[in-house]
Amino acid sequence: MSSPGTRLKGAGVSAGIVMGKAVLVGRALSQVHEVALSPTQTDVEVERFEAALRVSREQIAVLRARVLEVVGRDHAAIFDSHLMLVDDPAVVQQVVQQIRERHRNAEHVFQSVISRYCEMLSKVDDKYIRDRMVDIQDVAARVIRNLQGHASIDLSHLPERCIVVAHDLSPSDTASIDREHVLAFVTAIGSRTSHTAIMARAMGIPAVVGLSDSVEVISDGDVLVVDGSTRGEVIVNPTPEQLVVCERRIREQEAWLARVEAESKLPAETLDGFHVRLAANIEMAEEVETLRQRLGVGVGLFRTEFLFVKNDGLCEEEEHFRTYRKVAEDIYPHSVIFRTLDIGGDKFLSHLKMPVELNPFLGMRAIRFCLRRLDVFRVQLRAILRASAFGKVRIMFPMISTLEELQQALGVLNEVKAELAAEGVPHNPHLDVGMMIEVPSAALIADKLAPHVNFFSLGTNDLVQYSLAVDRSNPDISYLYQPSHPSIIRMMRHVAQAAYAHGRWLGICGEMASEPLLVPLLLGLGIHELSMSPVSIPAVKQLVRRVRMHEAEALVDQAVNCGSAEEVLVLCREFIRRVYPELLPNAES
Ligand code: PEP
Ligand code: MG
């Protein structure tokens, strides 16, 4: 048992406070049995071992790509060392040799080689080596699971009211989880956009991820209090005093949820009748069901990168089409905006063999990549256009930085439409086409871009990064990552004016829309669609319903005249305190 009251800090990625017992999964090596083989069976056994290595290599490459995409290069490096371990010639040769000489099954031989290796390392008093042992055990567990034909951790039979604690959970692990019994997830790696986080939100299960090594202090059976809100806290074996506080917060949460439920069917409309469309940012078709059932909203940003991560090939038209069509059909009568591939920056695909760049965020990203690799781009456009025959589908280009780029992308889109028309393939040739405004150059020439599109969507995650010259994934400079900076509000206002002057509608799909504190600014800018993480929708709707437009517009007028992000935040806090004080502890936590 860990010492009572230990507080661990991670990223709260799926809101909710719960208390339950920890169940540790996926750390220990699986049970293996020794099986004697006849000499004629050893060749097949060696092949089986090599096949398991191959599968492990592929799985690690996918994990690496996903982590690189969502957490960044530093964290993905762990998978480079995993790949090296799978390919470690010393281990592989020893195992192959022993299978042949001792006539034993691969799992048994492999486990004994690894155990001996770890025993040797455990005698070395060096943190680096100890860390390496954790990696070795992780990789070994994977290879053994693959040898035994268990691709993932079995999460379908768990004790009641448990909290799953793991290093990481793959999408298939998470999908197989027993929702009846699992109260929350806690993982060592991951971020808001990692698969565990997305699935947790989709399933409505509170989650704290990114606890790093501190997750190691949790033992099986420990009592945990998990707060998946922006607090992102896990308390291990709470003290009686902590229990009193936690129980009060759980009661407050229940009262809040009851209020959200009561208001869920009401429109997202300000007190003076301005209707704003709320929509969700999602990455997987599986998330649509919850959106429709619980929230009744459409999709303002469907990130398509995960589909490419899943595929070994670059873009299989049929697979993409099936996914896009399912989303379009399931979300109907609401609409979905499919964003074309936004690869590059911190989102890489290991099978793509992209050249190493000194400044990946300023490099061959998103639309730049697509315009270079027209084979990939055309196939994706075909799949999205074909899906447009089955629902309300819109299409959006990421990272446009010049007018020429937009015109080229539209040119390719028109060619693909003509191709489909010539083939007699059903599609909607009049679907809405938009672009993200996430590069300052695009924001500043929005008036020149607006005539060519039906809508803009503000991608503030990147707009903030590029405007303030602050790498969005670098924690050391995160203090500079300021969505409320007056430069951002000014730029957004400029875009809004350009859009409205050309009769275009304006959306926002950056995380800024999930931040209740900043929502009055977005309303004041007259933004028509706020697209955000699904979990934030109820709180944002409640807030919208308490705001008057002329007050929100006055707030924008004040904000653009501020000198700093903090000054803007002070104004926003005052605003919220006036219109919806109950939201402040949540908005600011
Ligand atoms: C953005 O940049 O705001 C955005 C929504 O895109 P992404 O976070 O996928 O780069
Ligand atoms: Mg972006």
Side-chain angles (χ1 to χ4, degrees):
M1 298 273 272
S2 309
S3 58
T6 310
R7 284 174 188 272
L8 310 177
K9 188 88 183 112
V13 294
S14 180
I17 310 173
V18 289
M19 184 156 58
K21 282 210 168 151
V23 171
L24 271 52
V25 295
R27 281 212 201 120
L29 291 181
S30 317
Q31 270 286 323
V32 301
H33 301 286
E34 181 175 354
V35 180
L37 306 173
S38 71
T40 54
Q41 288 174 312
T42 54
D43 278 349
V44 175
E45 195 61 6
V46 169
E47 270 172 37
R48 201 167 70 82
F49 174 59
E50 285 170 348
L53 291 180
R54 252 191 329 272
V55 173
S56 305
R57 218 173 282 132
E58 285 161 13
Q59 291 168 343
I60 296 167
V62 169
L63 269 180
R64 184 189 180 285
R66 193 182 308 142
V67 172
L68 189 55
E69 177 179 341
V70 296
V71 197
R73 209 179 282 268
D74 289 352
H75 294 80
I78 180 183
F79 295 106
D80 289 331
S81 59
H82 280 201
L83 280 172
M84 272 161 60
L85 286 168
V86 173
D87 288 326
D88 187 334
V91 173
V92 176
Q93 273 166 25
Q94 254 192 75
V95 173
V96 170
Q97 193 181 348
Q98 288 195 26
I99 293 173
R100 292 197 194 287
E101 289 173 0
R102 293 177 49 215
H103 305 153
R104 288 292 180 273
N105 56 321
E107 5 333 35
H108 171 72
V109 173
F110 180 66
Q111 193 181 46
S112 57
V113 168
I114 292 289
S115 300
R116 229 170 304 130
Y117 198 30
C118 287
E119 204 181 299
M120 241 164 53
L121 294 181
S122 67
K123 298 195 175 114
V124 184
D125 184 19
D126 180 312
K127 177 158 179 353
Y128 173 76
I129 306 264
R130 277 203 309 276
D131 287 350
R132 206 173 137 75
M133 259 175 65
V134 174
D135 289 344
I136 293 169
Q137 278 163 346
D138 218 358
V139 174
R142 176 179 302 284
V143 173
I144 288 174
R145 276 202 305 272
N146 286 326
L147 275 165
Q148 294 174 329
H150 305 309
S152 55
I153 308 162
D154 183 11
L155 296 174
S156 52
H157 298 96
L158 292 165
E160 271 183 35
R161 301 190 64 74
C162 73
I163 292 172
V164 170
V165 180
H167 179 69
D168 187 21
L169 293 172
S170 72
S172 50
D173 294 334
T174 320
S176 70
I177 223 147
D178 177 351
R179 289 171 69 165
E180 295 294 303
H181 292 178
V182 175
L183 293 176
F185 302 133
V186 170
T187 63
I189 67 164
S191 72
R192 261 202 93 67
T193 45
S194 65
H195 267 97
T196 319
I198 293 160
M199 292 291 291
R201 287 197 291 274
M203 295 162 84
I205 300 178
V208 176
V209 303
L211 285 160
S212 313
D213 290 349
S214 64
V215 83
E216 303 291 331
V217 308
I218 303 173
S219 309
D220 242 337
D222 277 347
V223 173
L224 303 182
V225 175
V226 176
D227 182 347
S229 72
T230 46
R231 241 187 223 104
E233 189 176 71
V234 178
I235 302 178
V236 189
N237 299 320
T239 60
E241 298 76 39
Q242 285 171 327
L243 268 183
V244 172
V245 177
C246 293
E247 280 164 358
R248 177 176 53 75
R249 283 178 36 211
I250 290 173
R251 279 196 306 277
E252 281 169 4
Q253 165 185 273
E254 278 161 7
W256 161 263
L257 286 176
R259 210 155 34 164
V260 165
E261 179 67 31
E263 291 195 11
S264 66
K265 296 279 178 292
L266 299 174
E269 204 172 81
T270 60
L271 287 170
D272 42 1
F274 178 81
H275 185 84
V276 59
R277 204 162 57 228
L278 299 185
N281 294 350
I282 62 168
E283 282 85 1
M284 287 183 290
E286 292 77 4
E287 293 179 84
V288 170
E289 191 54 29
T290 324
L291 287 189
R292 221 185 24 160
Q293 276 183 8
R294 289 218 215 133
L295 299 165
V297 298
V299 176
L301 168 62
F302 189 99
R303 290 185 169 96
T304 58
E305 291 75 61
F306 286 102
L307 264 171
F308 289 83
V309 172
K310 234 173 62 191
N311 283 341
D312 281 349
L314 253 180
C315 184
E316 298 294 335
E317 182 176 326
E318 281 312 309
E319 190 177 345
H320 277 246
F321 166 62
R322 269 199 304 277
T323 304
Y324 302 148
R325 173 181 171 169
K326 179 166 169 39
V327 173
E329 285 178 336
D330 289 355
I331 204 74
Y332 192 83
H334 301 286
S335 59
V336 48
I337 300 180
F338 290 113
R339 179 178 72 183
T340 58
L341 179 61
D342 185 18
I343 193 178
D346 58 346
K347 302 173 189 141
F348 284 99
L349 306 179
S350 58
H351 50 274
L352 251 183
K353 313 232 175 340
M354 290 171 75
V356 176
E357 297 178 302
L358 214 52
N359 274 314
F361 275 115
L362 305 180
M364 187 52 79
R365 267 196 78 176
I367 199 70
R368 302 169 185 181
F369 172 84
C370 287
L371 291 174
R372 173 73 64 89
R373 289 293 305 268
L374 288 175
D375 53 332
V376 179
F377 194 33
R378 281 174 180 279
V379 171
Q380 187 179 28
L381 292 176
R382 274 181 71 93
I384 298 175
L385 281 167
R386 285 173 60 194
S388 70
F390 297 90
K392 288 189 194 159
V393 168
R394 296 177 171 136
I395 198 164
M396 170 161 84
F397 303 124
M399 272 289 290
I400 297 282
S401 54
T402 67
L403 176 59
E404 293 83 347
E405 227 168 24
L406 174 62
Q407 285 169 327
Q408 278 176 41
L410 291 169
V412 180
L413 180 67
N414 286 334
E415 281 169 23
V416 174
K417 279 185 195 169
E419 197 176 276
L420 290 175
E423 290 169 19
V425 178
H427 66 285
N428 173 12
H430 306 296
L431 85 172
D432 266 10
V433 180
M435 57 167 278
M436 293 190 68
I437 299 273
E438 49 184 346
V439 181
S441 61
L444 295 174
I445 59 160
D447 53 326
K448 301 292 172 203
L449 299 166
H452 302 273
V453 289
N454 299 101
F455 67 93
F456 288 142
S457 184
L458 289 156
T460 46
N461 302 345
D462 276 313
L463 189 62
V464 173
Q465 139 162 291
Y466 293 130
S467 303
L468 288 146
V470 52
D471 180 341
R472 66 193 253 189
S473 52
N474 184 342
D476 292 336
I477 46 170
S478 60
Y479 66 96
L480 268 176
Y481 192 86
Q482 300 171 340
S484 62
H485 195 275
S487 62
I488 304 298
I489 316 298
R490 285 184 191 197
M491 232 180 290
M492 287 167 69
R493 188 170 67 162
H494 181 81
V495 173
Q497 286 165 347
Y500 309 152
H502 287 86
R504 305 304 188 231
W505 64 267
L506 178 63
I508 174 169
C509 61
E511 282 300 308
M512 199 172 166
S514 304
E515 179 49 76
L517 200 56
L518 304 179
V519 164
L521 286 171
L522 309 180
L523 293 172
L525 288 166
I527 296 177
H528 303 101
E529 178 177 286
L530 309 182
S531 191
M532 64 198 82
S533 316
V535 68
S536 306
I537 291 176
V540 169
K541 188 202 271 188
Q542 293 215 333
L543 178 59
V544 169
R545 293 181 54 78
R546 285 157 176 81
V547 170
R548 284 194 172 74
M549 275 305 266
H550 68 92
E551 289 174 356
E553 283 160 5
L555 178 70
V556 172
D557 287 341
Q558 286 179 292
V560 292
N561 284 309
C562 285
S564 72
E566 186 49 36
E567 272 180 60
V568 176
L569 284 178
V570 168
L571 291 173
C572 292
R573 277 191 210 105
E574 272 169 20
F575 189 97
I576 300 277
R577 199 165 287 125
R578 226 178 27 250
V579 305
Y580 196 12
E582 302 94 307
L583 198 61
L584 265 188
N586 288 317
E588 289 193 294
S589 60

